Amino acid sequence: MASRVHQPMENEEFDFILARADGPVLAYFWGIWSEACKELDPLVRELAGVYGDRLTTVKTDITRCPAATKRYGVTGAPTFLLLVQGEVTATGTGPMTREQLTTFLDAHL
């Protein structure tokens, strides 16, 4: 099964994915140095499959996409933003359990 998580390599690709999304986007801002992000990766991939038809998931490296990181005021990793038509509708920061992340998504989808 192909991954349902987009991983833009630059700001333009991030913007392209957002522009093409039919509905809400979960933008997961991460950093390679973050142990919490490494632990969250399998969960984000799992939930991207579970919520696949309801949202687009974008795993955004804050060093590769600095303009997007700055535009949305992301100051640390991990940060979760729920975007609708490019506008932030919900924000979550720091490590989350499966229950916390699903509660976050269910509350805003």
Side-chain angles (χ1 to χ4, degrees):
M1 173 204 261
S3 175
R4 296 189 71 101
V5 179
H6 299 276
Q7 291 186 256
M9 295 308 211
E10 59 188 6
N11 293 305
E12 292 79 12
E13 188 177 1
F14 177 86
D15 292 338
F16 179 80
I17 295 166
L18 258 61
R20 304 273 305 173
D22 290 335
V25 174
L26 176 64
Y28 162 47
F29 287 85
W30 70 284
I32 195 165
W33 64 89
S34 170
E35 288 301 317
C37 292
K38 290 175 186 175
E39 292 174 13
L40 280 169
D41 280 350
L43 176 59
V44 170
R45 289 189 185 289
E46 175 191 343
L47 293 181
V50 171
Y51 289 87
D53 294 336
R54 296 175 58 195
L55 79 144
T56 300
T57 303
V58 183
K59 180 181 171 187
T60 310
D61 183 333
I62 63 175
T63 57
R64 289 188 177 264
C65 299
T69 301
K70 183 177 179 180
R71 178 182 334 136
Y72 292 108
V74 174
T75 58
T79 295
F80 295 91
L81 302 178
L82 195 60
L83 306 165
V84 176
Q85 297 180 344
E87 298 297 319
V88 178
T89 59
T91 303
T93 58
M96 290 191 198
T97 64
R98 184 181 203 287
E99 181 179 339
Q100 290 168 322
L101 190 50
T102 56
T103 298
F104 170 79
L105 291 170
D106 289 344
H108 300 288
L109 290 177

